[in-house]
Amino acid sequence: MDSQLSDIRKEYKKGKLTRNTISENPFEQFARWLDDALHCGEDEPTAMIAATVSPDGRPSTRTVLLKGVENGRFIFFTNYESRKGRQLAANPHISLSFVWHKLERQVHIEGIAERCAPRESDAYFSTRPYKSRIGARISPQSRVIGSRMEIIRAFVKEAAKLAGQTVQRPDNWGGFAVTPTRFEFWQGRESRLHDRFRYTLREAAPVPAWTILRLAP
Ligand SMILES: Cc1cc2nc3c(=O)[nH]c(=O)nc-3n(C[C@H](O)[C@H](O)[C@H](O)COP(=O)(O)O)c2cc1C
């Protein structure tokens, strides 16, 4: 074992989570913690690790940005033909993880991802900076390319082709909306005796009902 790495150790002392103080509604609990993360100086408070699986059950992860929580769905945007996009088309199960180091907190979410309606994706796409819109049109995300120059040439060519026009969202780019079936909220505590609460969806309709249980650290 590398002694320098194994010596890195930090006590987590910044907060606690109790059954009496957590919300009965996981979305409300998430909103509280996201709000704390947005105001505590965290570098990328909306960044989340999205895990998907291949058809033969191999997991893969990458970071994406949460762009909204709407109607009980966590929304992010990506290329539908990317590795994650293709995996979600074959198997919509997804896990999302937020880590807010400044707060010594993490949230895990598991659920089902589906494509956003085209009008939702259009609405978000139109708010993106011009260069990001061009980039989304020309990048064959996750495919092997020959060189950086190849992608820059494609970018310049597309920008010239669309000069003076509205840059439309390409069909292979848009949102995924994740409907959670499980949440876990983790607050670091001293001596590794962390607080963990799990919400599992007991009933989806007519109103979502959640079972809340404390987990061992
Ligand atoms: C902070 C951060 C934010 C990112 N946000 C996104 C995003 O919102 N959408 C996206 O497609 N890729 C985003 N990426 C890039 C992805 O992590 C990943 O490289 C890309 O989506 C391709 O993943 P895939 O090949 O597994 O599909 C982000 C990366 C970082 C580090």
Side-chain angles (χ1 to χ4, degrees):
M1 187 103 46
D2 184 322
S3 68
Q4 279 174 327
L5 290 184
S6 61
D7 287 349
I8 297 172
R9 196 165 285 114
K10 183 184 165 200
E11 278 290 346
Y12 301 132
K13 298 181 181 178
K14 290 193 176 159
K16 61 181 177 181
L17 195 59
T18 67
R19 182 65 185 84
N20 291 337
T21 53
I22 57 172
S23 172
E24 293 304 308
N25 181 331
F27 290 94
E28 159 64 24
Q29 182 61 38
F30 181 83
R32 286 182 197 168
W33 274 21
L34 179 62
D35 193 55
D36 290 343
L38 290 169
H39 296 101
C40 77
E42 199 74 59
D43 264 351
E44 288 278 24
T46 61
M48 54 189 186
I49 307 293
T52 56
V53 285
S54 68
D56 57 352
R58 293 170 197 237
S60 60
T61 62
R62 73 291 290 157
T63 309
V64 291
L65 296 177
L66 178 71
K67 290 296 174 182
V69 184
E70 284 161 21
N71 304 321
R73 304 168 317 151
F74 285 70
I75 314 276
F76 68 91
F77 292 88
T78 194
N79 185 309
Y80 290 137
E81 291 161 7
S82 64
R83 186 180 191 209
K84 77 183 94 45
R86 285 180 279 125
Q87 291 191 346
L88 288 171
N91 179 348
H93 287 270
I94 188 167
S95 166
L96 304 172
S97 285
F98 295 83
V99 188
W100 294 309
H101 292 286
K102 288 213 155 98
L103 299 167
E104 300 171 354
R105 288 176 178 168
Q106 63 176 347
V107 178
H108 301 311
I109 294 166
E110 291 172 20
I112 301 291
E114 58 184 348
R115 286 188 184 194
C116 292
R119 65 182 155 69
E120 278 182 278
S121 294
D122 287 341
Y124 173 68
F125 190 78
S126 68
T127 68
R128 300 186 87 212
Y130 173 78
K131 289 182 178 175
S132 305
R133 279 180 278 149
I134 297 283
R137 292 177 63 89
I138 57 94
S139 171
Q141 194 180 51
S142 313
R143 307 274 175 194
V144 174
I145 54 171
S147 66
R148 180 165 179 81
M149 191 47 75
E150 191 179 308
I151 210 85
I152 291 172
R153 280 209 191 92
F155 182 97
V156 170
K157 197 171 156 197
E158 187 74 355
K161 191 177 101 188
L162 297 178
Q165 298 175 37
T166 306
V167 182
Q168 303 282 359
R169 176 181 66 88
D171 289 341
N172 66 357
W173 192 98
F176 278 107
V178 177
T179 303
T181 52
R182 186 190 196 277
F183 286 77
E184 183 191 319
F185 292 85
W186 183 101
Q187 174 75 60
R189 299 291 304 271
E190 278 180 86
S191 310
R192 301 294 187 257
L193 298 179
H194 316 301
D195 290 325
R196 296 175 65 188
F197 284 93
R198 182 186 72 193
Y199 294 69
T200 41
L201 188 61
R202 196 172 61 242
E203 268 171 38
V207 181
W210 299 88
T211 300
I212 308 172
L213 291 170
R214 182 184 273 273
L215 303 180

